[in-house]
Amino acid sequence: MSKKILFVAGLGVAMLTSTQVMASSYGAGDMFTRFGIARIDPKSNNGDLVHGALETDVKTGRGFAFTLGYRFTDKLGIELLAAAPFKHDVALTDSSNNTIGASVKHLPPTLTAQYYPLGGTDSPVQPYAGVGFNYTRFSSEEIDISGASLDLKSSWGAAGQLGVDLVINDNWALNAAAWYLDIDSEARLNGDKIGTVHIDPLVIMAGASFRF
């Protein structure tokens, strides 16, 4: 019995020690990637086009996303959000409630400078916050009007980020993160400007984090 008690006690001490080593190494010099499934929720009221004749409704999109990052100090780092292009269906509705369908893909690489309040500590819960900017490029624009060509111009805007890593071991953690992206795009139909689409999405990602 005493040997079992000693073994369990020794195992507990070993686990505690390894956790402290693992958590204390979470900081300066870390290169990491985060990846998961992202949901992109545009804000409501995405703008009016053609002098208010069409009300724009950009639908939710989903897809795979990943990030690459580096921590310069225990508490300060940088992270780049990347992804496969996200597709959004778009509804354009007139005053008589007639709807024209459209769709668009966009790629919003986002760079943020991050602050880790618990970086360098032994906490297995590592929250972080970031601010930065995003560049959004649109592609594959389509609209259900015969012979018409829809074009959305690229956009620059501010970005904000909140996230948390739940540390599992020296390399792996569970991750949840959210970004707010300021995305406003000039819309053109057959080359003529018809207004501005305000997407301004909240991007929510759940997945994992890996430290190299």
Side-chain angles (χ1 to χ4, degrees), residues 50-65:
V50 196
H51 306 292
L54 294 175
E55 181 180 295
T56 307
D57 181 17
V58 182
K59 306 297 184 180
T60 296
R62 294 175 179 81
F64 175 78

Side-chain angles (χ1 to χ4, degrees), residues 4-57:
K4 290 183 179 180
I5 294 174
L6 288 173
F7 173 76
V8 172
L11 181 61
V13 170
M15 291 178 64
L16 179 60
T17 302
S18 64
T19 300
Q20 289 175 337
V21 171
M22 170 271 297
S24 65
S25 65
Y26 191 98
D30 286 346
M31 178 175 283
F32 59 88
T33 181
R34 296 177 172 123
F35 51 90
I37 300 301
R39 175 187 171 100
I40 305 90
D41 282 322
K43 74 166 194 172
S44 58
N45 302 320
N46 302 120
D48 296 326
L49 302 179
V50 196
H51 306 292
L54 294 175
E55 181 180 295
T56 307
D57 181 17

